[in-house]
Amino acid sequence: MASAAPPILPVSSAGGGGAATASAPAISVPALRLFLSRLSDSARRSLAHRRPWSELLDRTAFARPDSLSDAASRLRKNLAYFRVNYLALLAAALALSLLSHPFSLLLLLALLAAWAFLYLFRPADASPLVLFRRPFSDREVLAGLVLITLLVVFLTSVGSLIVSALTVGAAIVCVHGAFRLPEDLFLDEQDPGGPAGGLLSFLGGAPASSGPAVLV
């Protein structure tokens, strides 16, 4: 006589919800792709207005200004003409300064990653942030990120490094703009926003999340 089959024990599916929650995407991929696409398009449109570097560094076009008002007039015209080149110089000064201080660069990257993963590109339907068995609301996460940002900027070398790099870059731009003769420049009519406005236009279209949500 064949032995009876053992009874099938019921299996609880309580852990299914937790697994689904854990497998939820940590970041909104479509929103991130849209942001990066807009950033790339804005950078390409802005770089299309870049003036030739040989024109920027033409040694025959440099002369000492006659007065402070003459220097200010030159600077104003050169800023309108070499706007994208000057922004590239500022970005290069900031990049060189950060690359020469790896610890500050890592802190800044970690801060940007925290903003991206915990707030900017979080899926709208993701679970709330839970840390040490305590859920945090959207306002609490935002306040925490702002507080961490202030601590990183003002209590570490990141803030002073950024300010010093931008100061050096701005000084180079001002000296060049004051000594570069603008008479041979063909100042075309540009939009009020100009190339700089196009470079930052991606910020206005950045996808906004309804609130940070992540399970830690």
Side-chain angles (χ1 to χ4, degrees):
M1 181 177 179
S3 60
I8 299 176
L9 298 177
V11 179
S12 174
S13 59
T21 302
S23 61
I27 192 170
S28 179
V29 178
L32 179 59
R33 287 179 178 175
L34 179 61
F35 176 81
L36 294 178
S37 176
R38 288 178 174 174
L39 176 60
S40 177
D41 293 341
S42 299
R44 281 197 298 266
R45 287 196 304 268
S46 299
L47 290 177
H49 296 82
R50 177 181 55 85
R51 307 299 180 179
W53 292 102
S54 58
E55 186 178 5
L56 180 76
L57 302 176
D58 185 8
R59 293 183 296 178
T60 62
F62 286 88
R64 183 177 178 179
D66 297 331
S67 61
L68 185 59
S69 60
D70 184 27
S73 176
R74 291 183 185 182
L75 178 60
R76 184 172 60 254
K77 294 178 180 179
N78 286 320
L79 282 176
Y81 188 78
F82 294 111
R83 184 180 306 175
V84 178
N85 301 75
Y86 288 157
L87 288 175
L89 288 175
L90 289 176
L94 182 59
L96 290 175
S97 180
L98 289 174
L99 289 175
S100 61
H101 297 79
F103 179 73
S104 299
L105 179 60
L106 290 177
L107 279 180
L108 187 59
L109 291 178
L111 184 62
L112 294 177
W115 274 98
F117 281 88
L118 297 179
Y119 192 78
L120 295 177
F121 302 111
R122 290 304 309 166
D125 56 348
S127 57
L129 173 65
V130 178
L131 190 60
F132 301 113
R133 297 184 179 181
R134 180 188 183 280
F136 289 86
S137 65
D138 298 351
R139 291 185 177 180
E140 290 174 331
V141 173
L142 178 59
L145 288 173
V146 171
L147 179 61
I148 293 175
T149 302
L150 294 177
L151 292 177
V152 170
V153 171
F154 292 103
L155 297 184
T156 66
S157 60
V158 174
S160 60
L161 192 64
I162 293 176
V163 171
S164 60
L166 293 179
T167 301
V168 172
I172 295 175
V173 168
C174 290
V175 171
H176 179 275
F179 282 82
R180 176 63 164 82
L181 292 174
E183 281 75 12
D184 60 332
L185 305 180
F186 296 95
L187 299 177
D188 51 354
E189 296 295 331
Q190 298 178 354
D191 297 334
L199 183 61
L200 301 178
S201 61
F202 68 93
L203 294 177
S209 171
S210 60
V214 62
L215 182 64
V216 178

